[in-house]
Amino acid sequence: MPVVERPAVTVVGGGLAGCEAALQLARLGIRVRLVEMRPDVQTPAHRGDGLAEIVCSNSLKSTAPATGSGLLKEELDLFGCRLLECARESSVPAGAALAVDRDEFSARVAARISTESLIEISRSEVSELPLRDGEHWLVATGPLTSPSLVEVLGKITGQRSLHFFDAIAPTVTLESLDLEILYRAARYDRGEADYLNSALDQATYESFHAALMEAEKADVHAFDRKELFEGCQPIEEIAASGPKSLAFGPLRPVGLHDPDTGRRAHAVVQLRQENRSGTLYGLVGFQTRLKFGDQKRVFRMIPGLARAAFVRFGQMHRNFYLDTPRCCSRDFSLKDRPDVWIAGQITGVEGYVESMTSGLITAWHLAARIHDIELPGLPLDSMTGALLRNFLFDRTTEKLSPMNVNFGLVPDLATPTRGKRERKIAKSERAVAVLAEWLGQEPVARLLAATAG
Ligand SMILES: Cc1cc2nc3c(=O)[nH]c(=O)nc-3n(C[C@H](O)[C@H](O)[C@H](O)COP(=O)(O)OP(=O)(O)OC[C@H]3O[C@@H](n4cnc5c(N)ncnc54)[C@H](O)[C@@H]3O)c2cc1C
């Protein structure tokens, strides 16, 4: 199939979904203009001008097939996801998780895009989406979409936009940590001992909990705790649900033995390497909206962190998304403007890998329309299909609430299987098999043959 000339698609937003979408469109023979507003206009969470900048934790979660995220990665390998390849190339040690050096990941994505002759990059804020004959907009502007574009999307869809609140965890330097007190270990000794751990005895834990409860929180515009993202609760909110909540939550000590005593500590704080050179560490599960001064004071109570130097403090943000079940067609084009397509977190998916997946799938749908190919629906037994075809278009709930992938989204097995882990593995195997079959179907194979040149 010949290359589709003109920038047939303008991808708005050079984040995780937008970069994956641009690379997939180029792969499918379509000329793309990728428009990113940074550095001219910044979001409240991004820090630089890099493409595919990861704003918070550097973890892309588990790679184990018996986890939702592990299965999604297996499926993305079948699709040929470009950003997942870049993530593996820039990985840092993180046990069973795939974690990346943020700067290297962003640089690799940018390098990959720069070698694509079909992608041109421009830097400016897009604040209107005019109708242009034969051209398409793919909007992947993420949870921190600029206000002017939020307004434009609101006018097109005729709907109020939705939102929830999400928080970032702080990052500290390795050289400021006391390595005499912290110890290296992996939970249950699985994989390499990649995490730094701080053991808290009961008295230290209780003082830490009390200090957290008394610490001052930053004001966040229109903040309402009912609108917090469930999978990413700020640490002070978890603490407020009871004195033991942290020890059963982000500070759970299970599978981590104190090397001094050989016993399980009352609670454990984990720190994960954030860059390839190993100079930065993130506090795992410490998303917060405490005032910066109080973050420093309270988090320095953690054994080994008394002199911690914070290179980034935790922050909370209001995240925008669209009411996909009501304003989108199943190919992710807007019902009222079929030339405008959406991808990434604004569709109501949550998470880095989920956003890449959404970018890839919207790009495939858009390319299929341009090449006049009718794609079959994604298999519902796959994690991708369960998320993008089923969950996002469920109209039985009044309000779409963003979600990470998980096995609860995937239909039950036809034959009962004993054991939770065995059931997940069986669902994973079924998902990979149905997706491989889908990729072999004639229209999909024809789309994939539509490469440039
Ligand atoms: C504070 C916060 C913390 C998060 N923490 C995590 C986490 O720890 N783990 C996790 O898995 N997920 C996390 N997420 C959720 C989500 O996975 C990420 O936000 C992810 O980056 C979403 O991908 P995206 O491509 O949809 O958006 P983004 O990666 O945010 O990309 C959108 C891009 O669009 C650009 N843009 C916005 N408006 C315009 C415009 N009008 N014109 C041109 N460009 C524009 C932005 O500058 C940005 O580069 C977090 C989100 C937030 C906001």
Side-chain angles (χ1 to χ4, degrees), residues 9-26 32-36 38 46 50-54 76 81-84 105 109 113 119 138-143 145 332 341-364 366 388:
V9 180
T10 300
V11 173
V12 189
L16 296 173
C19 290
E20 182 64 35
L23 287 164
Q24 291 295 331
L25 287 164
V32 180
R33 185 190 302 118
L34 175 62
V35 190
E36 167 55 52
R38 290 175 292 115
H46 291 80
L51 295 176
E53 183 185 324
I54 282 185
L76 284 177
C81 174
R82 303 313 197 223
L83 263 62
L84 189 56
F105 172 66
V109 172
I113 286 180
I119 305 179
L138 191 158
V139 182
T141 43
T145 297
F332 295 96
W341 307 67
I342 59 166
Q345 193 157 335
I346 63 170
T347 62
V349 299
E350 165 70 23
Y352 301 141
V353 182
E354 288 84 343
S355 297
M356 293 175 193
T357 311
S358 165
L360 183 148
I361 293 300
T362 299
W364 282 31
L366 204 172
L388 299 183

Side-chain angles (χ1 to χ4, degrees), residues 12-18 35-38 43 46 55-57 124-126 140-146 149 166-168 317 319 344-345 350-352 355:
V12 189
L16 296 173
V35 190
E36 167 55 52
M37 70 178 182
R38 290 175 292 115
T43 78
H46 291 80
V55 289
C56 180
S57 156
S124 61
E125 181 189 2
V126 171
T141 43
L144 304 168
T145 297
S146 70
L149 197 57
D166 204 350
I168 287 178
H317 298 286
N319 289 3
Q345 193 157 335
E350 165 70 23
Y352 301 141
S355 297

Side-chain angles (χ1 to χ4, degrees), residues 107-119:
R108 282 184 185 273
V109 172
R112 190 133 194 185
I113 286 180
S114 71
T115 59
E116 278 293 349
S117 60
L118 289 180
I119 305 179

Side-chain angles (χ1 to χ4, degrees), residues 21 67 127 228 333 424:
T67 63
S127 48
L228 275 169
S333 60
K424 287 181 180 172

